[in-house]
Amino acid sequence: MAIFSKTCEYAIRAVFYIAQKSASGMKSGIKDIAAEIDSPELYLAKILQDLSRKGLITSTKGPNGGFFLTSEMLELPLIEVVKAVDGDALFTGCGLGLKQCSELHPCPLHNEFKAIRNDITLMLSNVSIGGFNQELAEGLVSLKKSKTD
Amino acid sequence: MAIFSKTCEYAIRAVFYIAQKSASGMKSGIKDIAAEIDSPELYLAKILQDLSRKGLITSTKGPNGGFFLTSEMLELPLIEVVKAVDGDALFTGCGLGLKQCSELHPCPLHNEFKAIRNDITLMLSNVSIGGFNQELAEGLVSLKKSKTD
DNA sequence: ATAATAAAAGATATTTTTATCTTTTATAAG
DNA sequence: CTTATAAAAGATAAAAATATCTTTTATTAT
């Protein structure tokens, strides 16, 4: 198991890609995005529709249309995307799957997980959606799954 | 998404339960374990068979049979169970699902994830399978999913 | 207005994960 | 050596996640 669902991995990579384009005022078409982040186009379309409905990205239809981010959206912490897609089990749930795990009624790993969850929450709250635009533009980091870059 | 698969959650809870019983020389039947950790009995049976094949737990058939852990098994770090069930994507994989994410060809969150992965790896390496036997015996921690405890 | 473009929406399909059912094998006790 | 017990193994089923196909709606440019 990875830390995020595949759906969420696609969502984050796509949002990073759209962010970088948006920073230079460009809209991105689904075909382009899917190719650039190496994801199934029609599945990604569904994911982006969902993010759009939830207000994390926006889009316009028709010629010259596409997905883009407003400057406010570029400032949002990445955790918003993760929460929108994977929910907040990663941030609030019990690591062993207990429904009523709490300080008073803890699972054996309660404190251990509290620390981990805190690290993850902090990390994803401290990076913004647009925070990697420059590194992406400079080609210092990659969003493509496979080697053909 | 949770951090572990449900299969892995069941596995860890079951192993903790068997560990505590093993510490006092007792074997545990699948029916008993499933009831005590609140998991689907026949599914759990499959999981334990797998752990048994992989040498993380052991069992004997027939009357007075059941699952148990040797003293060596009780000392194993919990990460062995997680690796056996969920693989090591959580410990080595790229957070964004890139196949060739590395120092030289990193994803945008490469360093951020390195820290998180390290925390998780350390935590699961530093707790042993038998490490909670006393707290479990004293009822200070719980393995049951639902409130009826 | 019309045609072309691109996302939205709805329906369906595939794959993986989770769960169950049935039969077989090993062990212990009478 | 027969019966009862309990795990192992194999087959199947249900649910959730991932992926694709088709139709509709909105926008732009001609």
Side-chain angles (χ1 to χ4, degrees):
Chain A
M1 279 251 312
I3 196 151
F4 301 133
S5 67
K6 284 184 101 169
T7 305
C8 192
E9 291 175 354
Y10 294 146
I12 296 174
R13 305 217 305 272
V15 160
F16 277 162
Y17 179 79
I18 301 168
Q20 190 230 329
K21 290 288 181 184
S22 294
S24 40
M26 293 166 74
K27 289 174 191 162
S28 309
I30 184 68
K31 204 152 185 155
D32 176 36
I33 307 170
E36 290 300 324
I37 73 165
D38 218 340
S39 79
E41 179 184 331
L42 294 159
Y43 188 54
L44 183 61
K46 289 295 177 197
I47 299 171
L48 295 186
Q49 280 166 33
D50 181 48
L51 290 178
S52 178
R53 256 181 268 111
K54 289 174 175 159
L56 292 171
I57 69 179
T58 187
S59 68
T60 60
K61 292 181 179 180
N64 310 320
F67 295 92
F68 63 100
L69 303 182
T70 64
S71 49
E72 293 82 45
M73 289 168 176
L74 285 169
E75 298 306 321
L76 289 176
L78 189 62
I79 197 172
E80 293 299 326
V81 174
V82 176
K83 280 184 177 173
V85 177
D86 277 352
D88 58 7
L90 189 58
F91 311 112
T92 65
C94 168
L96 299 189
L98 306 190
K99 278 179 193 143
Q100 34 64 69
C101 181
S102 65
E103 297 294 325
L104 268 167
H105 200 273
C107 79
L109 297 172
H110 188 73
N111 288 308
E112 286 82 353
F113 274 119
K114 198 157 52 180
I116 301 288
R117 276 202 311 259
N118 193 49
D119 292 344
I120 298 174
T121 305
L122 222 62
M123 186 273 267
L124 292 174
S125 303
N126 285 336
V127 306
S128 70
I129 289 173
F132 298 95
N133 288 345
Q134 194 158 0
E135 281 165 272
L136 280 165
E138 290 171 5
L140 297 178
V141 295
S142 167
L143 295 172
K144 295 202 79 167
K145 175 170 280 175
S146 45
K147 218 163 235 168
T148 43
D149 216 1
Chain B
M1 279 250 313
I3 197 151
F4 300 134
S5 68
K6 285 185 98 169
T7 304
C8 192
E9 290 175 356
Y10 294 147
I12 296 173
R13 304 217 306 273
V15 161
F16 278 161
Y17 179 79
I18 301 168
Q20 189 228 331
K21 290 289 182 181
S22 293
S24 40
M26 292 166 74
K27 288 175 192 161
S28 308
I30 185 69
K31 204 155 185 154
D32 176 36
I33 306 170
E36 291 301 323
I37 73 167
D38 218 340
S39 79
E41 178 183 331
L42 293 160
Y43 188 53
L44 183 63
K46 288 294 177 198
I47 300 170
L48 296 186
Q49 279 165 34
D50 181 48
L51 290 179
S52 179
R53 255 182 267 111
K54 289 173 175 162
L56 291 171
I57 69 178
T58 186
S59 68
T60 60
K61 291 179 178 180
N64 309 321
F67 295 92
F68 63 100
L69 304 182
T70 64
S71 48
E72 291 82 47
M73 290 168 175
L74 285 169
E75 298 305 322
L76 289 175
L78 189 60
I79 197 172
E80 294 298 327
V81 174
V82 176
K83 281 185 176 171
V85 176
D86 278 351
D88 58 7
L90 189 58
F91 311 111
T92 66
C94 168
L96 299 188
L98 307 190
K99 277 177 195 146
Q100 33 64 68
C101 181
S102 65
E103 296 294 326
L104 268 170
H105 200 274
C107 79
L109 298 173
H110 188 73
N111 287 309
E112 286 81 354
F113 273 119
K114 199 158 54 178
I116 301 288
R117 276 202 309 258
N118 193 48
D119 291 345
I120 297 174
T121 304
L122 222 60
M123 187 273 267
L124 292 173
S125 302
N126 284 336
V127 305
S128 69
I129 289 173
F132 298 95
N133 288 344
Q134 194 157 359
E135 281 165 272
L136 279 165
E138 289 171 5
L140 297 177
V141 295
S142 168
L143 295 173
K144 295 203 78 168
K145 176 170 277 174
S146 48
K147 217 164 236 167
T148 42
D149 215 0

